[in-house]
Structures are given as C-alpha cells and as structure tokens.
Amino acid sequence: MVAGLGEFTLRTGDGFGKPVLDESNGEELMHVQPSVAVVLGNRPVESPGTLYITSRKLIWLSDVDMAKGYAVDFLSISLHAVSRDPEAYSSPCIYTQIEVVEDEDDESDTESTEVLDLSKIREMRLVPSDSSQLDTLFDVFCEGAELNPEPVEDEEEEGESGHNWVFNADQMDVIGGVEEDAEWSISQSPTSVIGHSNGDEGLAQPMLELQINDQRFEDAEEMVHDSETKNH
Amino acid sequence: MLFFSYFKDLVGQEVTVELKNDLAIRGTLHSVDQYLNIKLENTRVVDQDKYPHMLSVRNCFIRGSVVRYVQLPPDGVDVDLLHDAARREARGG
C-alpha cells in the first residue's frame, strides 16, 4: 500500500506540460510552485523544476529534463517541516520524511550503489527559490495530509465502535471477565468441585480461595491480566 | 473522539511525539486534528545524532498514522477523569 517515492513522467501536451492527474477519481491540483529544487536523501541538489501539489500527492517535474519527475503520495509522507537553519542545510526548504517499505539490507544499498532506488528514499527536501513561500507550502502540505487519512482497512470492526483501537485495556477486561465466568460456572457446578467429588475437604478450600481472588480482581484490568497469565 | 478532544486540551503544552521510525520529537503542541495529525512548534529532536537533518526544524507536521507514542506532561493528565471518560465511551454511554 505505502509506495514511497516514485518516478513520474506523465505530462500533458506531448510530454511538455503539466502532470496528468487522475481527475476521473477526483484528483485536483491544489498548488503550483515554480522554481523548486529537489534533494533526495543525501544526494546533491537536482536542477530546478516545478512542484505540483494535488489533492493526492506531490509531483515534482524537472524544468530541464522533460523525462524526469518524481511523485509521492501524501499517504507516504510521515512528516513535513520548514527548515531554516543555515547550519543544518544551506537553503531554507521544506523537509519531508517518507515512509518506505522496510527492507533488511537497504541501508547499504542506498549508500553504495550507483543506481538510485527511489522507493528507498526516506528524506526529501524541496527548495523553492522564493523562500517567502515556505509557510504557504507548509500549509498546503498540511491540507493535503488532512485530505488523505489512512484508508479504513477493517470495515467490520470499525463499524462496531467507530474507533476500536482506543479501548484495548477495557476490551481485555471484558474478554478476561468472560473467561473467568466460564471458569466460575465450571467450579460451581457440583460435578467439577473436586473437593466434594472425592470427599477430600482440604482440596475444596484452595478452590474457594481462587474464586475469591478472581472476584476481587474482576474490575482491575492489569490484575486480571496478571491473574490470567498465572492461571494458564 | 475521546483522544482527539483529549489532545485538544493539551494544546500549548510540551509533549514528546515518538514516531514509528524511532524518531522522537519534543515540542509545543500547536494543534491536532481528527486523524490525530499533530503540529508541533519549537521542536527539538531527542536523539539528534541519529537524525541530524531534523536539527534545522523548528515546527513540523506529523502524520497521525506514523505516531507510536505521545509522551505527555505529568501534570497535564487528569488520570481519574481520563479513566472515567474511557470507560464511559467503551461502554457506549
């Protein structure tokens, strides 16, 4: 699902114009910023191009090389920020972090190989020649991120509570409670009370204590958790 | 919506946001939206050696889906209130 950075070469007007958008699926152009240089990872700055911000993604198209362009979905942009400290980077810019598909030995690959694997680029800087536009760009990026929330993957569970991820602790409580109840009914049914079935009074006593413990801890999630692990 | 409104109450306070890529950013909570996207101001990166590029950043927007933890100021949390609210909402009340 998460695609990271990729190549983008679809231009209108015989390959010299604006990027081709997925308009039939509602993709719209939100902002165009001319004269923006791009820096991928620790690589050198690339010749200026034009930044197109759509309702789905960022598209950067080179002004020099018509076959060159990059795009990244807002879904893959983990973080963006305005970077102004000249000590950290020579020019004021928009700094982005890109979520990539984790790969065990990709660190060495990106450092050493000549062929650039765009999908492993984790950082991208966009350097507009007009640095007064940085705050505007930052806001447009925010807007784009808000237009692209995570797609809901598990419709069924989501429909149940609307936000099932919030209350894991309480859900544990409920599950724990159900399990306890099952144990209760077993221990309370005459046939399963070990102490009585074999006539040994001494064995019935620990069983009774266990029940008391369960009852006492019924409402405290952590303790239920604790006693559950002990029981199993 | 509980955590959304809860975080909104924390606007203006100092928090540390830990991302799923292990980056931890400390800063003043500027705003939060319904997707728990977070805007921080006066940011500083906790582990600066690991993320030198973040040094230059003073404010940032963090996508809610990449946040692992948000560390809150101890006095910014009314534990009892949060506990009650969580229970109420869990029981659909």
Side-chain angles (χ1 to χ4, degrees):
Chain A
M1 221 293 298
V2 176
L5 190 70
E7 276 199 4
F8 191 96
T9 51
L10 294 170
R11 304 194 193 203
T12 58
D14 297 330
F16 292 97
K18 291 179 174 185
V20 177
L21 306 186
D22 189 5
E23 280 166 345
S24 59
N25 280 316
E27 185 175 19
E28 289 173 33
L29 197 58
M30 289 164 61
H31 188 88
V32 179
Q33 187 66 41
S35 188
V36 177
V38 67
V39 184
L40 303 179
N42 291 322
R43 292 165 55 83
V45 62
E46 300 193 27
S47 57
T50 304
L51 179 68
Y52 298 86
I53 304 170
T54 81
S55 53
R56 299 277 179 75
K57 56 182 176 278
L58 306 179
I59 304 167
W60 179 89
L61 299 181
S62 170
D63 288 344
V64 182
D65 182 352
M66 291 300 145
K68 191 170 178 181
Y70 307 123
V72 56
D73 287 343
F74 275 113
L75 285 172
S76 297
I77 301 178
S78 307
L79 176 155
H80 68 263
V82 176
S83 166
R84 282 203 176 91
D85 185 352
E87 283 192 21
Y89 192 76
S90 54
S91 320
C93 61
I94 296 277
Y95 168 82
T96 62
Q97 282 190 1
I98 299 169
E99 192 174 4
V100 300
V101 179
E102 290 295 337
D103 191 348
E104 287 303 311
D105 48 24
D106 66 339
E107 292 284 339
S108 53
D109 284 357
T110 31
E111 299 293 327
S112 60
T113 53
E114 288 295 310
V115 183
L116 175 64
D117 186 349
L118 291 177
S119 68
K120 287 174 180 167
I121 294 291
R122 292 164 192 270
E123 292 175 311
M124 177 173 70
R125 284 170 195 280
L126 296 159
V127 193
S129 59
D130 180 2
S131 58
S132 70
Q133 290 299 303
L134 283 171
D135 287 329
T136 308
L137 286 174
F138 180 86
D139 290 341
V140 178
F141 276 41
C142 291
E143 209 181 314
E146 278 153 19
L147 283 174
N148 291 273
E150 292 311 288
V152 177
E153 281 172 21
D154 199 340
E155 295 261 356
E156 210 171 313
E157 268 189 87
E158 185 74 12
E160 185 74 22
S161 63
H163 34 60
N164 49 20
W165 48 272
V166 174
F167 301 111
N168 279 336
D170 262 19
Q171 279 167 359
M172 294 298 287
D173 192 9
V174 170
I175 292 162
V178 169
E179 268 181 27
E180 265 171 36
D181 285 346
E183 278 174 23
W184 260 95
S185 58
I186 290 167
S187 59
Q188 278 187 324
S189 83
T191 49
S192 69
V193 177
I194 306 160
H196 285 286
S197 61
N198 63 12
D200 188 342
E201 296 289 323
L203 269 175
Q205 197 57 34
M207 182 63 85
L208 208 67
E209 274 174 15
L210 191 67
Q211 287 171 5
I212 290 164
N213 279 345
D214 281 356
Q215 209 168 12
R216 185 162 41 140
F217 293 146
E218 198 176 55
D219 209 31
E221 295 92 331
E222 282 173 35
M223 298 304 276
V224 166
H225 216 46
D226 204 16
S227 67
E228 252 191 278
T229 44
K230 264 185 256 168
N231 287 344
H232 296 295
Chain B
M1 292 316 261
L2 169 65
F3 274 52
F4 172 41
S5 46
Y6 180 69
F7 281 125
K8 274 205 297 195
D9 285 346
L10 286 173
V11 165
Q13 301 218 42
E14 186 95 334
V15 297
T16 302
V17 179
E18 188 181 326
L19 273 55
K20 288 174 185 168
N21 66 5
D22 297 329
L23 174 65
I25 308 165
R26 190 154 177 76
T28 310
L29 187 63
H30 172 271
S31 62
V32 60
D33 69 13
Q34 57 173 319
Y35 307 113
L36 303 184
N37 295 327
I38 290 172
K39 270 193 221 177
L40 293 180
E41 286 183 333
N42 307 314
T43 53
R44 57 186 185 278
V45 175
V46 175
D47 185 357
Q48 298 197 331
D49 294 339
K50 212 170 156 188
Y51 293 93
H53 303 299
M54 285 294 294
L55 264 179
S56 56
V57 164
R58 289 294 165 264
N59 65 329
C60 70
F61 176 102
I62 303 162
R63 194 171 168 78
S65 61
V66 301
V67 174
R68 184 186 287 145
Y69 298 120
V70 180
Q71 297 168 24
L72 311 168
D75 56 355
V77 190
D78 186 332
V79 178
D80 293 334
L81 195 72
L82 185 62
H83 200 117
D84 286 350
R87 278 182 180 280
R88 262 200 308 278
E89 197 151 311
R91 288 169 183 166

